[in-house]
Amino acid sequence: MPDLPLLAWLLILSALVLGILAGHFGWGRRWTRGGSLRGVGARSFGKLHPDYLTGLDYLVTEQPDRALDMFLKLMDASADTIETHFALGALYRRRGEVERAIRIHQNLLARDGLAPEHREQALLALAQDYLRAGVLDRAEGLFQKVAETPRLRASALAALRGVYERQHEWQQALDTYRQLARIKAAPPRLVAAHYLCELAALELERGAIDAARTLLRQARREAAPFARATLLRAQIADRQNDRELAIRLLRSALHECPELLAEELPHLLALAGSEQRDALLAELVAQARERGAGDLKRLVFAAIAADLSGAAPLRDALESVFTQDATLNALWQEGRGNEERVARELGALLNHAERYRCAECGFAARSFYWHCPACQSWQTFESYALVKLR
Ligand SMILES: [Zn+2]
């Protein structure tokens, strides 16, 4: 998560601190009359700890770290500011100053007579600190402990699911998903379907085809149609030398998820073999034309990237895709009589371009991911070069 912009951070912290001060010193009405802080303080708040004012000065002069040190020192000395501790701890964590957040929450937990609900809240906050710091085993243990508290169970399990995802502990992620489903707090079932596919892919890697099939059947019960499961079934068929089935399944996966085209077109054509290649390409072109200009463009780009621009069934498709786009048309007209070279150059560009982008967070990548490495969303990758070149 990016840091808050400095101004937003200052505003939040100022509001927080003013809130505390207003609460402690009954300032509310007087503060709205305006005037400088020191002036007001000098006139009306003789008992105000001078460090508060110093801290606020640091804020005003944009020295948030020094301000935070000051407020932390003051709050360490005060016994009745639990909510403020939580708010400041969360702000530190968001700023990435995790060690300070941990210190705040550990201080809280070390207090005698801390109310049980505050202890649970502090444990949850500390677990989130460890998660942010990347100390996953500690975060996991704490989230598990907090999950026993009914009030915080959904938050703790949701975080725990994230921890297992980051560790690629797919079985545990799935178990946690099921626990969340039981309290009606689970994310969409597509997520469970992906966990099952991750597990199936692992089984496939170790050659356990039957176990992989069982998991894929379960995945399809969670989400259908589900291109990822279809793709894995195509791999199984290929491994078992059932070429026709592998082609059918792969085409079906591409139909369900056209984003896969750039990655999977070469596999599909390899399965078809040189004698069937042109017939297959002609069918794909006809289908893409039916589905619209976007799909035809995606197919043409995938073919160009796979160095297929010379294939006869693509000639008309290349012409219509290039001439319908202002930028591409300029390239195309310049290279008239030498279309294949233009397509090759574009292919080289495409192969080095970040072809995909996460629709959720904007993370761009050259390869397709089912699970965004940046924001951990599932199945949010879309073709990026298409957008950029449009
Ligand atoms: Zn993302």
Side-chain angles (χ1 to χ4, degrees):
M1 189 182 292
D3 281 351
L4 289 174
L6 185 60
L7 186 61
W9 167 241
L10 285 175
L11 285 173
I12 293 168
L13 196 59
S14 309
L16 182 69
V17 170
L18 290 173
I20 305 163
L21 297 184
H24 278 202
F25 302 102
W27 283 13
R29 272 166 297 152
R30 288 173 204 166
W31 179 247
T32 56
R33 286 179 199 161
S36 89
L37 189 61
R38 279 194 184 279
V40 173
R43 280 199 312 275
S44 316
F45 310 112
K47 280 185 255 169
L48 192 59
H49 196 300
D51 283 353
Y52 273 119
L53 298 178
T54 312
L56 285 176
D57 271 351
Y58 284 144
L59 277 183
V60 173
T61 54
E62 297 198 356
Q63 300 178 67
D65 288 340
R66 297 181 77 172
L68 288 169
D69 280 340
M70 189 62 77
F71 293 126
L72 185 64
K73 194 178 96 188
L74 282 163
M75 271 181 287
D76 282 345
S78 160
D80 56 353
T81 52
I82 298 235
E83 271 72 23
T84 315
H85 275 75
F86 282 126
L88 254 191
L91 286 169
Y92 275 126
R93 189 192 315 124
R94 285 201 66 176
R95 262 176 74 80
E97 296 178 57
V98 189
E99 277 177 25
R100 288 180 177 174
I102 290 175
R103 203 177 114 205
I104 288 183
H105 297 128
Q106 281 177 337
N107 276 358
L108 269 176
L109 286 164
R111 279 189 186 191
D112 291 332
L114 189 66
E117 66 270 24
H118 287 142
R119 174 166 303 281
E120 292 149 4
Q121 193 73 39
L123 281 173
L124 180 63
L126 188 59
Q128 285 162 338
D129 297 339
Y130 283 128
L131 179 62
R132 177 74 200 261
V135 189
L136 298 183
D137 52 342
R138 284 205 190 177
E140 181 186 340
L142 286 171
F143 282 130
Q144 278 168 345
K145 198 165 167 185
V146 178
E148 290 161 17
T149 305
R151 185 174 60 91
L152 300 175
R153 184 165 172 78
S155 321
L157 286 177
L160 206 49
R161 190 178 65 77
V163 171
Y164 293 136
E165 279 192 1
R166 280 174 66 176
Q167 293 174 314
H168 292 193
E169 296 286 359
W170 304 115
Q171 186 59 56
Q172 282 170 297
L174 183 64
D175 294 344
T176 310
Y177 179 95
R178 303 270 190 239
Q179 286 176 282
L180 279 163
R182 277 198 285 280
I183 54 169
K184 300 200 175 354
R189 293 176 70 185
L190 181 72
V191 173
H194 277 291
Y195 293 158
L196 287 158
C197 280
E198 295 285 357
L199 290 167
L202 290 174
E203 294 293 356
L204 259 187
E205 257 175 47
R206 57 183 201 93
I209 304 271
D210 287 344
R213 277 215 177 98
T214 306
L215 288 160
L216 292 175
R217 262 198 302 279
Q218 291 173 20
R220 283 151 65 206
R221 278 203 290 274
E222 299 290 346
F226 186 38
R228 189 178 188 184
T230 315
L231 191 62
L232 286 165
R233 285 163 66 213
Q235 285 174 18
I236 292 177
D238 184 22
R239 218 180 262 202
Q240 298 191 319
N241 297 318
D242 190 344
R243 202 170 61 121
E244 292 310 314
L245 180 61
I247 291 177
R248 194 162 57 75
L249 287 169
L250 190 47
R251 285 187 65 175
S252 164
L254 290 174
H255 189 75
E256 288 157 15
C257 181
E259 258 68 34
L260 291 171
L261 201 58
E263 307 255 325
E264 296 299 333
L265 184 64
H267 297 160
L268 180 62
L269 295 174
L271 278 171
S274 53
E275 71 283 6
Q276 281 186 47
R277 190 195 76 170
D278 280 7
L280 183 58
L281 272 175
E283 266 182 59
L284 291 175
V285 168
Q287 268 177 9
R289 274 194 197 282
E290 251 172 54
R291 284 172 67 149
D295 273 58
L296 188 63
K297 196 173 192 176
R298 205 192 315 265
L299 175 65
V300 163
F301 278 23
I304 288 176
D307 206 14
L308 287 164
S309 48
L314 283 166
R315 236 165 258 150
D316 287 350
L318 275 168
E319 179 79 21
S320 50
V321 164
F322 274 69
T323 50
Q324 274 166 26
D325 180 296
T327 317
L328 292 176
N329 192 35
L331 272 176
W332 196 244
Q333 300 307 338
E334 239 173 69
R336 267 283 172 223
N338 222 337
E339 284 84 356
E340 227 177 297
R341 185 180 54 79
V342 175
R344 275 230 169 81
E345 283 169 6
L346 188 62
L349 278 177
L350 284 172
N351 278 325
H352 289 98
E354 285 165 336
R355 290 186 290 187
Y356 302 100
R357 186 170 54 182
C358 171
E360 202 62 38
C361 74
F363 177 81
R366 282 172 63 183
S367 308
F368 180 86
Y369 291 93
W370 293 106
H371 190 211
C372 174
C375 73
Q376 273 77 50
S377 298
W378 288 96
Q379 212 170 319
T380 48
F381 266 48
E382 54 187 22
S383 308
Y384 177 44
L386 289 184
V387 179
K388 216 157 117 185
L389 289 166
R390 193 169 280 157

